[in-house]
Amino acid sequence: MQSGLINAGNRIMILYAGETGKQFEGMPKGRKMHLAEEDAELLKTVIRSIDLVSPQYRHTVRLTYKKFSINTECEGVNPNFEEMRRMYPAGGGRFLNDMDVSLQRRSLILGSVIAKEIFKDEDPIGKTILVDNMPFTLVGLLQKKLQTSMNNGPDDERAIIAYTTFRTMYGNKYVNSIVVRPIDPARQAEVKTEIFATLARKYHFDPTDERTLYIWDFIEDERIEEKISMCVSMFLFSVGFLTLLVAGVGVANVMYAIVKERTREIGIKMAVGAKRRYILSQFIFEALLIAFIGGSIGLLFSWSVVAGIRLIPSDEGPMQFLGKPILSPAIMFITAGILGTIGFLAGFFPARRAASVDPVESLRYE
């Protein structure tokens, strides 16, 4: 789930224009805000804590290749988008570069799924495809990736062109959004404050007015995801530990029953000279043997379940969000250690009771 979130936004923040919620310098609230291309460069210049930034245009376009046509989401961005949105190209292709932007080239990148629908089994790199009846050269395909957050659809079904080309084609005056990535994710709150302050000076609104900008904060989402994952892990650990504890109680009860049934046998052994440590070690060994056999059966069952699940295809559908489970050696050793400790304790106390039995009294026991 964490990997899917980062694939949708690699520790970024997406800025959307809102409307003023407060009066400011005599101007009423409710003024509609807009973001322009130059705002992206302004933020990068003024705020030193920003690492990468890109304007983002967005529009539904019609892709046509030979007799096949399909509608999809198209975005106009700059080369920084590759790293910020993890839009890495597959082998043989590339993402946008600075020349595509400066020369307004008609270079096109497609998601792997939509490219498969259009080109079937053809090699698409270098082919000419119409984007709203304008010819573009396909220069790259995006690698298939898992996404748990969507921005108007998955990247696997998206078209990408340079933002300068997009603006020239459609004549947009304002961008749909601006994507920002801080140098240090820990300074995310500071960057947010500086973004509001910088744009407030340009557009004359109260820098504390949170309604002027909506910020989709992937950094905060990642932190929440980590906390949820930690809570789930702690819950599952508690369930596992309590299960082992219950197993230990079961072993202890079995050992107490064994001691009770073999009281006369213990008395005879001690009467003929068996030392206390011999009785103690015998019952501890039996308890550890029971724990070892039970633990081995449990690990073997776990291995078979994991191996069975790994055979289920997980490239698409709900299974892609579960991934392929593995047996962690570290967890196996920890489990074995806990089980061994519980088994030892489960055998020690019954064994101590058995070793402290009076031989005369035990021979009289019925």
Side-chain angles (χ1 to χ4, degrees):
M1 295 296 288
Q2 290 174 340
S3 175
L5 178 63
I6 293 176
N7 279 336
N10 188 10
R11 294 172 179 172
I12 61 173
M13 294 183 286
I14 304 180
L15 282 56
Y16 299 92
E19 62 178 31
T20 56
K22 298 179 181 179
Q23 295 181 359
F24 185 72
E25 295 180 346
M27 291 178 285
K29 65 179 182 179
R31 288 182 293 128
K32 183 69 175 175
M33 293 288 103
H34 299 283
L35 295 173
E37 273 184 25
E38 58 267 21
D39 293 334
E41 189 61 34
L42 173 66
L43 294 175
K44 183 69 171 68
T45 303
V46 173
I47 306 174
R48 296 183 178 181
S49 301
I50 289 179
D51 180 27
L52 300 173
V53 66
S54 173
Q56 184 177 20
Y57 291 106
R58 191 167 55 247
H59 183 64
T60 300
V61 300
R62 188 163 189 80
L63 304 179
T64 305
Y65 178 70
K66 295 180 180 178
K67 295 182 179 180
F68 183 85
S69 293
I70 190 172
N71 291 333
T72 193
E73 189 79 8
C74 179
E75 291 185 322
V77 297
N78 70 17
N80 293 334
F81 215 66
E82 175 184 2
E83 180 62 30
M84 290 193 288
R85 289 285 305 278
R86 284 194 167 188
M87 289 184 166
Y88 301 128
R94 65 173 179 84
F95 198 73
L96 298 174
N97 57 34
D98 292 332
M99 295 298 290
D100 293 322
V101 175
S102 60
L103 299 179
Q104 300 185 25
R105 287 174 174 169
R106 294 178 186 172
S107 301
L108 175 68
I109 293 93
L110 288 180
S112 58
V113 172
I114 196 166
K116 185 69 176 177
E117 290 183 39
I118 296 172
F119 295 99
K120 305 300 187 271
D121 297 325
E122 292 185 53
D123 181 8
I125 302 298
K127 297 288 176 61
T128 298
I129 184 171
L130 299 181
V131 179
D132 284 343
N133 296 319
M134 295 289 290
F136 276 73
T137 300
L138 186 62
V139 298
L141 300 180
L142 300 179
Q143 296 179 16
K144 186 173 178 58
K145 64 178 182 178
L146 170 68
Q147 277 183 261
T148 54
S149 292
M150 303 296 174
N151 186 12
N152 283 40
D155 292 345
D156 289 336
E157 301 175 8
R158 197 178 301 271
I160 304 293
I161 63 176
Y163 74 91
T164 51
T165 308
F166 192 106
R167 182 224 310 141
T168 301
M169 282 181 63
Y170 299 105
N172 292 56
K173 186 178 179 181
Y174 302 110
V175 298
N176 293 85
S177 55
I178 295 176
V179 185
V180 171
R181 189 172 82 170
I183 294 175
D184 182 1
R187 302 177 68 178
Q188 153 243 13
E190 173 190 329
V191 171
K192 272 187 181 180
T193 302
E194 292 186 25
I195 287 172
F196 272 91
T198 301
L199 295 179
R201 286 193 295 269
K202 177 180 179 181
Y203 292 110
H204 304 287
F205 63 83
D206 189 331
T208 63
D209 186 358
E210 296 183 355
R211 290 182 56 183
T212 53
L213 295 173
Y214 168 69
I215 299 181
W216 186 359
D217 191 343
F218 282 82
I219 300 172
E220 185 63 30
D221 289 349
E222 186 180 354
R223 289 174 183 164
I224 295 172
E225 188 79 35
E226 287 176 353
K227 291 178 181 178
I228 294 173
S229 298
M230 183 178 295
C231 291
V232 171
S233 297
M234 291 173 63
F235 171 74
L236 294 176
F237 174 82
S238 301
V239 171
F241 181 78
L242 290 174
T243 302
L244 293 178
L245 195 60
V246 170
V249 173
V251 173
N253 288 336
V254 170
M255 295 309 298
Y256 275 116
I258 290 175
V259 169
K260 189 174 181 180
E261 290 177 358
R262 295 167 61 182
T263 301
R264 287 177 62 83
E265 174 192 330
I266 295 169
I268 293 172
K269 288 181 178 179
M270 296 186 71
V272 298
K275 295 186 179 298
R276 185 172 183 270
R277 66 173 178 271
Y278 171 78
I279 303 298
L280 198 66
S281 61
Q282 177 186 354
F283 282 94
I284 289 177
F285 174 76
E286 290 183 12
L288 289 174
L289 181 63
I290 293 173
F292 174 77
I293 294 173
S296 299
I297 293 173
L299 287 176
L300 183 62
F301 175 76
S302 299
W303 176 84
S304 61
V305 170
V306 168
I309 293 177
R310 288 182 66 85
L311 295 176
I312 302 174
S314 60
D315 294 335
E316 54 187 31
M319 284 300 297
Q320 67 177 328
F321 295 97
L322 298 178
K324 288 185 179 294
I326 60 170
L327 276 180
S328 167
I331 299 298
M332 289 175 65
F333 281 121
I334 292 173
T335 302
I338 294 175
L339 191 60
T341 302
I342 291 175
F344 173 80
L345 295 176
F348 175 77
F349 293 104
R352 189 176 65 173
R353 178 182 176 184
S356 62
V357 169
D358 186 286
V360 176
E361 292 296 326
S362 62
L363 290 173
R364 293 176 180 174
Y365 183 80
E366 296 295 337

